[in-house]
Amino acid sequence: MSTFQAPKGTYDLIPPHSATYLAVREAIAAPLKNSGYGYIETPGFENVELFARGVGESTDIVTKEMYAFETKGGDRLALRPEGTASVLRAALEANLHKAGNLPVKLWYSGSYYRYERPQKGRYRHFSQVGAEAIGAEDPALDAELIILADQSYRALGLRDFRILLNSLGDKECRPVYRAALQDFLRGLDLDEDTRRRVDINPLRVLDDKREAVQKQLAGAPLLRDYLCEACKAYHEQVRELLTAAGVAFEDDEKLVRGLDYYTRTTFEFVHDGLGSQSAVGGGGRYDGLSEMIGGPALPSVGWALGVDRTVLALEAEGITLDIPAATAVYAVPLGEEARRVLFRAVTELRRAGVATDFAFGGKGLKNAMKSANRSGARLALVAGERDLAEGVVQLKDLTSGEQTAVALDAVVDEVRRALS
Ligand code: ATP
Ligand code: MG
């Protein structure tokens, strides 16, 4: 071990385990790529103000969890705690919304940073794959995103997850509800912090994890009873489309994203095998966000799925992904001349698209064959002086142990045949 360790709340992705992470990212991205979403990548840091406005001054993310700093040049930046604000910022900056093709559908994959209390499933550096559909108000779009997330999880083999669904209303009906909720909450016995939250962000109080608070919330007014006709109709369509797609969900009227620009559809994916860090993903509509960051009105919807927790969910369900061995062929040279010849064969195989590795470091036969087996390769290419004198190399099937001599100039063809 070196003098240094990974910073608190972070961990390294190490082979072979790291292959599972890659596979999870790919599994989440695949349905998006297949549904008209284009890949977007934004910087790992942004102007801190973007998040203050685009995530919300009253959220834990901004008040407690953000890595904000000032640069030597005096810029006030923050490591990105989430993806939506950056993606919308980038889309507006590139005028994607003016290209006449709405919604703009984008997907992303990357690292996010939050200064949290580290525990299983909650890290200071974590990974998300997300999707945003910008500039359209259409219940089919909300449904599409939920269906695609469901498809990703199912493709990974996950079964013990649930989809929680709610509507947060819009700028017509939510303020009325907000006031009613505030009235109710002000009659409760709450600590000072929570009372402050009642003033700034009352919906968020519904999300309080403490049992004592939850008990008092039993009779709280429900948004459901305050939704305007338009919001009700919209939500009903989302529900119908999900049902028609065979995607099961649970109505959860306590599910909130308590920000002013989050509107209508909101949802969360929870996994029952993860203990208290049960949310594997979440999202919803954010019709007001574009205007909050200085853009035009652009009703939008999106989600972000947590890669770390999805990997934990796989473990919880005992699922091992079927990841093909990284190496198909392993070359073992015996002697200097063989090194030169086999290294050239390795390069040729790689150029032909065959995953190939080589016994580096002048290993002896026994050690090199151990490495070959450990690599997961199906075939070994072995050559010594005598083979080279005859213009052949030995092609060894590592499963059966069977060995055949193949002509040096036919190696690529013979390997392909043996692998097919
Ligand atoms: P939680 O309520 O667990 O804090 P959140 O509401 O803060 O989650 P979002 O901002 O909606 O989470 O992020 C989407 C997903 O990203 C989460 O569902 C989760 O899977 C993942 N995620 C969020 N924060 C972390 C973290 N600190 N460590 C690992 N994964 C995280
Ligand atoms: Mg959080």
Side-chain angles (χ1 to χ4, degrees), residues 30-309:
L32 297 170
K33 293 187 204 169
N34 203 29
S35 309
Y37 288 76
Y39 179 63
I40 184 166
E41 201 167 310
T42 63
F45 52 82
E46 297 271 355
N47 195 312
V48 69
E49 199 54 31
L50 173 70
F51 300 121
R53 289 213 222 153
V55 180
E57 309 260 22
S58 66
T59 58
D60 283 353
I61 293 182
V62 169
T63 54
K64 297 183 192 152
E65 298 171 2
M66 203 151 63
Y67 283 92
F69 57 98
E70 193 173 312
T71 66
K72 289 195 174 79
D75 294 328
R76 296 196 55 243
L77 303 176
L79 300 185
R80 59 184 181 188
E82 58 103 53
T84 304
S86 310
V87 167
L88 191 55
R89 193 268 308 140
L92 291 171
E93 192 171 330
N95 281 321
L96 297 185
H97 60 296
K98 289 187 184 157
N101 194 17
L102 295 176
V104 175
K105 302 208 289 187
L106 302 166
W107 76 274
Y108 60 86
S109 171
S111 294
Y112 296 85
Y113 308 86
R114 294 183 194 175
Y115 191 73
E116 304 210 58
R117 194 165 65 78
Q119 51 202 295
K120 189 166 187 198
R122 189 175 295 286
Y123 310 104
R124 292 180 171 177
H125 166 260
F126 59 99
S127 168
Q128 290 183 339
V129 176
E132 316 289 351
I134 298 164
E137 191 180 74
D138 182 341
L141 200 53
D142 308 41
E144 165 176 290
L145 277 163
I146 296 171
I147 292 166
L148 292 175
D150 177 79
Q151 192 182 327
S152 304
Y153 286 145
R154 289 191 180 278
L156 285 166
L158 291 171
R159 293 295 176 267
D160 300 341
F161 66 89
R162 291 176 292 129
I163 301 171
L164 310 179
L165 183 69
N166 195 18
S167 171
L168 293 180
D170 63 9
K171 56 179 186 294
E172 301 305 318
C173 54
R174 184 129 56 108
V176 184
Y177 171 68
R178 191 175 185 273
L181 182 63
Q182 273 174 330
D183 272 353
F184 172 85
L185 294 173
R186 285 183 180 133
L188 302 182
D189 176 27
L190 299 168
D191 59 276
E192 199 180 319
D193 252 13
T194 312
R195 282 211 306 272
R196 203 171 310 123
R197 192 172 273 184
V198 170
D199 292 334
I200 327 170
N201 200 343
L203 271 74
R204 204 81 219 192
V205 177
L206 296 177
D207 208 19
D208 201 304
K209 303 278 190 302
R210 290 170 296 181
E211 210 172 305
V213 177
Q214 279 303 327
K215 237 183 224 152
Q216 295 196 69
L217 292 175
L222 295 175
L223 225 168
R224 191 181 48 197
D225 302 325
Y226 286 77
L227 290 185
C228 61
E229 287 312 313
C231 284
K232 260 189 220 160
Y234 192 98
H235 197 55
E236 206 36 55
Q237 282 195 56
V238 175
R239 296 175 79 258
E240 275 167 20
L241 289 164
L242 291 177
T243 304
V247 171
F249 57 88
E250 295 169 22
D251 293 305
D252 179 354
E253 55 288 318
K254 288 230 170 104
L255 183 69
V256 291
R257 308 205 141 221
L259 299 177
D260 288 343
Y261 44 80
Y262 280 119
T263 43
R264 293 192 170 169
T265 315
T266 189
F267 51 87
E268 199 162 271
F269 289 78
V270 293
H271 192 277
D272 291 323
L274 295 185
S276 48
Q277 268 57 254
S278 63
V280 287
R285 218 161 233 291
Y286 50 91
D287 291 349
L289 179 55
S290 174
E291 287 156 294
M292 288 292 293
I293 62 170
L298 281 172
S300 306
V301 56
W303 52 240
L305 306 189
V307 176
D308 310 76
R309 289 187 198 170

Side-chain angles (χ1 to χ4, degrees), residues 331-333 336-351 356-360 381 383 408:
V332 176
E336 262 319 299
E337 174 68 0
R339 250 170 84 76
R340 213 172 41 74
V341 172
L342 273 194
F343 190 71
R344 206 167 60 215
V346 164
T347 302
E348 256 178 68
L349 282 166
R350 288 173 175 169
R351 284 179 178 154
T356 310
D357 207 352
F358 184 74
F360 290 99
L381 272 182
L408 242 179

